[in-house]
Amino acid sequence: MSKVQIHSLFTDFDINLFKSGKHYRLYEKMGSHVIEVNGVRGTYFAVWAPSAQSVAVIGEFNFWDGEQHQLNVRWDSSGIWEGFIPGVLHGMTYKYKIHSTNRGIVTEKADPYARRCEHPPKTASIVYEYKPTWNDNDWMQNREKNNALDAPYSVYEVHLGSWKRKIEENRSLSYHELSLELVAYAKKMQFTHIEFMPIMEYPYDPSWGYQITGYFAPTSRFGYPEEFQELVNACHNAGIGVILDWVPSHFPEDAHGLGNFDGTHLYEHPDRKRGYHPDWKSLIFNYGRNEVKSFLISNALFWLDQYHIDGLRVDAVASMLFLDYSREEGEWEPNINGGRENLEAITFLKEMNEAVYLNYPDTQTIAEESTSFPMVSKPTSIGGLGFGMKWMMGWMHDTLEYFKKDPIHRRHHQNDLTFSMTYAFTENFMLPLSHDEVVYGKSSILGRMPGDQWQKFANLRLLYSYMFTHSGGKLLMMGSEFGQHEEWNFESSLDWHLTEFAPHQGIQNLIKDLNQIYRSQKALHEKQFDDDGFAWISHEDAENTVISYVRSSDNSQVVIICNLTPEPRVNYLIGLPTKGIYKLLFNSDEIDYGGSGFEVNESFNSQNKQWQQRLQSAALNLPPLAVVIYKAE
């Protein structure tokens, strides 16, 4: 006999919003909620299973017996099953046992809206009363300027399980330990934001978190939800924003996950050509189903609301936009207009971005999008997808290909390095040197650099200096900031022992100073997405393999000169944007960075001599494989 009491948190308005794909706070209604009914404490459960014949809550409180706690289906054709079970309280494990109307299929599923999950490989959900303690008011009240598009955006990408490990205990750091060690390190290194690779609950470690089963639960690998909240709080109190990787593109087929949830294709698209991802062997959300849109957009807003997250980096957007993504002829079908665009996914992305910016205008969404799909980071009001930023994958590819080349050959490939500026302002681009570039045999960033050891490190300093002075936001994968030799391995710690050696210390010093200059010099960030903020001095001197450019804000200018060969240039004539005194801001060849210490001009006066289509010029010494930055006073 059922011990479930009829009770509901839903109003008719909630149901109408849910059915129309416009309910963006479903986490307040769906899932498990500890409440009091008629003076008795227990848990209210609600789950969407429209093709269910019956739904039972099974758990430790009823010995996982599917007969004791049968939920009640709502009368309104919403497909929601719900009810209140007295005595079920915080910390108790549970699942839903679903008897389907589809051929008698029976599934046992974790709660899609669970706030906490068991530590993998266990798969049950946990009734959880989340009780955060925030003291980040200063950040939250002022974060609009910290997250704005004219603010510096230097992002440190982190995989929590492998950033640093307790070797003697063979374990990762906890959320609490990370709130002390990681936050202090990122602050010392002057990063403006930390981006966490997915922390939503996932069953399989080698997926790095990109195969999610618990969309509303911080992974239990590193601690409790309040401890993850403590980590975010610590970041904010250190003046560091937090970005989460978010994966609305696909999900795994694990038996306890979203796939075949009620015995039917509920969350995934029923057509295998649109509902299965061949690359990742995972399922693709049905973006045309309103209730699925409500689930996903509620999830995006959940992290911004409940955990004060400052931005979402949306994974694999290209795979969502195109029906033929990674598919051969005959493996996909065109849309109703005969095209290859996934019109339903495009509508979903627009609605998601509109919801985020309407409710949290002081945050950002960032698209990992690798194609030339237009207007990804333009407002939906003018036909764009509505993202705040887009990863500049073309820059990443072309730049790494260029820097792999021996400097003697670079003069024949200068266009590879400078081509990015022909389209740099078509989107609000972020320059990524991400985890994808340091795995699967690609080598570490340092490992791609040519030459002997000194030249490898010099080229790495040159690459980073070019990156930080190029228009756009910046993202750097952990370990790259001190020149890790080996590829990233999710099963082991970064090679922190390398930082005891001078060349690696030099790279750390360089990144810290580049971050400081990027943050302090408005010319490097105020117009980073505006073509008014960039101008070439010369990109045509392939013979000397030197490029030079100006970065500008409303009130300041800096001149950047890159010598891309190991040959120093003495009395190299450079055109200048204005008349005046120029002072050295930065030199990547300094001894503190591991450079040669080649003597450069600490300051100089411009001369009334026309050069490179500029009215002013000066003759400067350029160190080998290095970048110098001068500020016009």
Side-chain angles (χ1 to χ4, degrees):
M1 188 177 74
S2 174
K3 301 175 183 177
V4 177
Q5 298 179 11
I6 296 176
H7 190 80
S8 184
L9 296 183
F10 285 91
T11 66
D12 290 345
F13 184 61
D14 286 321
I15 297 300
N16 288 333
L17 286 175
F18 177 53
K19 287 181 175 180
S20 63
K22 298 295 184 183
H23 200 310
Y24 300 155
R25 304 280 176 176
L26 281 178
Y27 52 89
E28 296 175 350
K29 310 290 181 175
M30 291 284 199
S32 57
H33 300 269
V34 177
I35 60 173
E36 188 174 297
V37 177
N38 297 326
V40 178
R41 280 179 65 76
T43 297
Y44 166 81
F45 293 91
V47 63
W48 180 51
S51 293
Q53 183 175 316
S54 66
V55 178
V57 182
I58 57 175
E60 61 179 278
F61 44 85
N62 62 17
F63 303 102
W64 305 93
D65 179 2
E67 300 299 319
Q68 292 192 45
H69 295 108
Q70 300 277 334
L71 295 179
N72 308 293
V73 66
R74 287 184 62 89
W75 55 269
D76 49 21
S77 302
S78 63
I80 294 172
W81 298 72
E82 62 182 351
F84 174 75
I85 307 178
V88 175
L89 300 173
H90 171 86
M92 293 185 174
T93 52
Y94 70 99
K95 282 186 179 180
Y96 296 116
K97 187 169 186 177
I98 303 170
H99 287 258
S100 177
T101 58
N102 182 22
R103 302 192 307 276
I105 294 172
V106 179
T107 61
E108 291 187 4
K109 294 293 185 178
D111 188 343
Y113 292 87
R115 300 295 187 90
R116 179 162 167 76
C117 303
E118 285 190 302
H119 193 300
K122 294 181 179 180
T123 59
S125 301
I126 300 173
V127 175
Y128 202 82
E129 293 184 273
Y130 171 56
K131 294 181 179 179
T133 304
W134 295 101
N135 62 3
D136 63 346
N137 287 343
D138 286 348
W139 173 270
M140 294 299 287
Q141 289 173 7
N142 296 290
R143 73 172 178 173
E144 183 175 9
K145 62 180 176 58
N146 296 319
N147 291 331
L149 292 175
D150 61 357
Y153 238 84
S154 179
V155 181
Y156 187 47
E157 185 186 28
V158 173
H159 177 262
L160 292 182
S162 57
W163 180 73
K164 186 180 287 187
R165 296 177 66 91
K166 294 289 185 183
I167 304 300
E168 64 281 359
E169 301 169 45
N170 191 30
R171 67 169 179 86
S172 303
L173 299 187
S174 66
Y175 290 131
H176 173 70
E177 290 166 329
L178 289 161
S179 72
L180 301 174
E181 296 190 40
L182 171 61
V183 173
Y185 178 74
K187 183 176 182 179
K188 182 185 81 170
M189 294 297 293
Q190 294 280 306
F191 286 101
T192 65
H193 293 73
I194 298 176
E195 179 180 315
F196 297 133
M197 292 169 65
I199 54 84
M200 302 80 180
E201 194 60 82
Y202 57 99
Y204 187 50
D205 284 346
S207 79
W208 311 334
Y210 289 98
Q211 300 274 9
I212 296 171
T213 51
Y215 271 78
F216 291 82
T219 179
S220 55
R221 288 167 173 81
F222 314 118
Y224 290 88
E226 288 83 1
E227 292 172 311
F228 175 66
Q229 172 266 324
E230 176 192 0
L231 173 56
V232 177
N233 194 74
C235 287
H236 287 172
N237 284 324
I240 298 169
V242 178
I243 302 168
L244 292 188
D245 263 11
W246 186 55
V247 191
S249 47
H250 63 110
F251 58 93
E253 291 189 280
D254 293 61
H256 68 289
L258 296 176
N260 199 39
F261 190 82
D262 62 356
T264 68
H265 301 294
L266 188 61
Y267 287 91
E268 68 271 25
H269 199 285
D271 182 350
R272 196 74 168 175
K273 291 181 177 180
R274 297 182 62 180
Y276 181 76
H277 202 298
D279 282 358
W280 303 311
K281 297 178 173 56
S282 55
L283 301 174
I284 300 171
F285 284 103
N286 185 354
Y287 304 108
R289 193 160 191 170
N290 285 337
E291 296 88 347
V292 173
K293 286 200 293 185
S294 286
F295 169 80
L296 286 171
I297 297 176
S298 290
N299 185 243
L301 268 59
F302 169 82
W303 296 100
L304 307 179
D305 173 26
Q306 298 285 291
Y307 288 96
H308 292 193
I309 298 304
D310 300 285
L312 299 172
R313 177 266 192 186
V314 183
D315 182 61
V317 172
S319 74
M320 300 170 66
L321 294 176
F322 295 104
L323 298 168
D324 64 343
Y325 183 90
S326 197
R327 296 180 189 273
E328 301 296 330
E329 189 74 29
E331 295 179 346
W332 65 281
E333 293 178 355
N335 61 36
I336 57 172
N337 300 321
R340 52 194 282 261
E341 296 80 13
N342 187 333
L343 302 179
E344 294 167 345
I346 290 169
T347 297
F348 158 71
L349 289 170
K350 289 181 178 182
E351 292 180 7
M352 180 276 296
N353 281 314
E354 288 170 354
V356 167
Y357 285 109
L358 177 64
N359 289 277
Y360 302 97
D362 52 357
T363 65
Q364 294 290 346
T365 59
I366 305 163
E368 188 221 1
E369 205 286 307
S370 55
T371 76
S372 57
F373 190 91
M375 301 179 69
V376 171
S377 60
K378 302 301 180 185
T380 59
S381 60
I382 61 170
L385 288 184
F387 285 93
M389 285 179 254
K390 170 183 170 173
W391 275 18
M392 198 177 191
M393 308 297 277
W395 172 89
M396 175 275 299
H397 178 269
D398 291 347
T399 300
L400 290 178
E401 280 298 309
Y402 178 89
F403 271 89
K404 282 167 57 177
K405 292 177 169 54
D406 188 300
I408 199 170
H409 301 303
R410 286 178 179 171
R411 62 181 178 173
H412 303 298
H413 300 275
Q414 193 139 311
N415 184 60
D416 292 349
L417 194 66
T418 60
F419 179 69
S420 61
M421 293 313 304
T422 64
Y423 62 94
F425 305 105
T426 58
E427 301 276 4
N428 298 335
F429 280 119
M430 175 176 283
L431 315 182
L433 293 176
S434 73
H435 65 274
D436 282 328
E437 306 317 312
V438 292
V439 290
Y440 297 144
K442 296 177 183 176
S443 187
S444 65
I445 303 298
L446 175 64
R448 299 179 186 209
M449 300 297 107
D452 58 24
Q453 177 169 314
W454 188 89
Q455 288 196 13
K456 282 181 181 292
F457 279 93
N459 272 300
L460 189 64
R461 294 191 298 270
L462 174 60
L463 166 61
Y464 290 158
S465 303
Y466 167 66
M467 173 183 180
F468 272 80
T469 54
H470 190 290
S471 298
K474 331 292 175 190
L475 179 136
L476 199 59
M477 174 62 173
M478 64 180 197
S480 301
E481 84 283 1
F482 61 78
Q484 175 146 323
H485 283 293
E486 301 299 322
E487 285 190 342
W488 168 57
N489 180 355
F490 75 94
E491 295 182 295
S492 61
S493 173
L494 297 180
D495 294 332
W496 290 104
H497 64 277
L498 293 176
T499 60
E500 299 172 9
F501 300 97
H504 300 276
Q505 291 174 0
I507 298 296
Q508 270 189 316
N509 292 337
L510 177 100
I511 292 295
K512 181 170 63 175
D513 286 356
L514 283 171
N515 272 328
Q516 193 278 326
I517 289 170
Y518 175 49
R519 294 170 69 139
S520 64
Q521 299 299 319
K522 287 187 175 182
L524 291 176
H525 64 253
E526 193 172 73
K527 294 186 175 183
Q528 57 193 342
F529 306 121
D530 186 340
D531 58 5
D532 284 346
F534 178 91
W536 283 114
I537 295 174
S538 173
H539 58 84
E540 298 172 341
D541 188 5
E543 186 61 34
N544 287 301
T545 323
V546 172
I547 61 172
S548 52
Y549 43 97
V550 181
R551 294 291 310 281
S552 304
S553 68
D554 286 335
N555 300 309
S556 64
Q557 288 184 317
V558 295
V559 170
I560 298 101
I561 312 164
C562 309
N563 179 9
L564 300 153
T565 77
E567 293 295 322
R569 306 294 178 195
V570 178
N571 291 326
Y572 182 86
L573 194 59
I574 185 84
L576 295 170
T578 57
K579 182 177 181 178
I581 300 172
Y582 288 76
K583 293 188 176 179
L584 183 68
L585 271 184
F586 172 83
N587 171 15
S588 69
D589 188 53
E590 286 185 9
I591 291 174
D592 282 350
Y593 304 145
S596 69
F598 182 80
E599 186 175 345
V600 299
N601 309 71
E602 294 293 328
S603 66
F604 61 86
N605 291 308
S606 66
Q607 305 298 314
N608 292 319
K609 179 181 179 181
Q610 237 182 309
W611 188 249
Q612 294 171 330
Q613 299 180 329
R614 303 277 178 168
L615 296 178
Q616 298 284 304
S617 63
L620 306 176
N621 292 344
L622 305 182
L625 291 172
V627 173
V628 289
I629 306 175
Y630 287 94
K631 185 173 184 179
E633 297 290 337

